[in-house]
Amino acid sequence: MSLIDPRAVLTASLTEVGCVREVNEDSCGEFQDSHGRRLLVVADGMGGHKGGATASRVAVETVGEVFQSSQTDPEKTLFAAVEAANARVYELSRDNAELRGMGTTAVMLLLGESGTAWVAHVGDSRGYRMRDGQIQPITADHSVVGEMVRQGLLSEADAAVHPRRNEILRSVGVEPTVQPDVARLDLAEGDRFLLCSDGLSGLLQDPEICAVVLREPPQQAARTLIDTANQRGAPDNVTVQIAAIPGGQSTEVTGAPLFSSSVMPADIVEENRERKVKIIAGATAVVAGLLAIAMIWMAFGGEIGSAGASRSKAPNSAPVAR
Ligand code: CA
């Protein structure tokens, strides 16, 4: 077992509005508990200008509060944190007309003692691990296109421009309960972790992200990644968090360009297999929900707003999976 001290992990967090949006609906936060354990969280809100920003901020704050006051093990802590965030966003949405329908994604990395980390997520904000010059996803998007990619119906490249790319299958605060995916990872010296909203992962290829994170210290790498997104027109809010485990691999990348690995790390592959069934079951429920929403919408002559229905800015976009 490695003796990595989470307090020695270098981190960076950066979030920006991008080039098109008027409001930054992303939020992020870093927390530390009394044992020195660390938590990074990225949330990407949706549901109108006020709702989206509120949902992501409340989710990050709630996750941080639960983490810092938790006396239980990291896995239970993450489930409890997501549950509490879901309840708080859901209740705020229910009780405030201007926030109705809001929700948010959430991806978080908990750096524990004894060289172990946990990743938890809901929605399509992502986590990656970079090790030995390779980048590997540590989350699988809870999204319509993500599911199509996993089923072999769509390529990653096509998913990035697919008209349904903004539809997510799970979110925090839209339903009374939500099930996060939680996985444990072993840490190695020199590992780099990155959490991001789709404003980054939709614009930069995995190998590009990897090269920057391995080449530059965390603060600088976060700046470079967001600058790159802005140079490409950043149509969405962009959020990046990086954690650099000390020691191990060189931070310099030399020679030929890196190639992306779409292979999940071996230690969480089993977990993903198990949850695939759950995702498909969830997708079926979503389809049923969509039909119900469509019927209600038609019954009201299309007067019900689509707040929270899509991360798209289009004010009258049709209701979709939320
Ligand atoms: Ca986004």
Side-chain angles (χ1 to χ4, degrees), residues 169 175 280-296 321:
L169 297 173
E175 301 289 337
I280 292 166
T284 309
V286 166
V287 170
L290 282 173
L291 282 173
I293 291 165
M295 286 171 71
I296 293 166

Side-chain angles (χ1 to χ4, degrees), residues 21 26 44-45 105 124-125 166 197-200 236-238 311:
R21 300 287 181 96
D26 287 359
D44 176 355
T105 70
D124 65 355
S125 295
N166 286 324
S197 60
D198 66 338
L200 184 85
D236 197 0
N237 309 140
V238 195
R311 198 177 292 125

Side-chain angles (χ1 to χ4, degrees), residues 76-95:
K76 286 184 183 147
T77 297
L78 290 174
F79 276 109
V82 173
E83 186 183 343
N86 190 78
R88 204 136 129 200
V89 174
Y90 182 77
E91 284 160 17
L92 276 172
S93 167
R94 186 192 57 195
D95 298 341

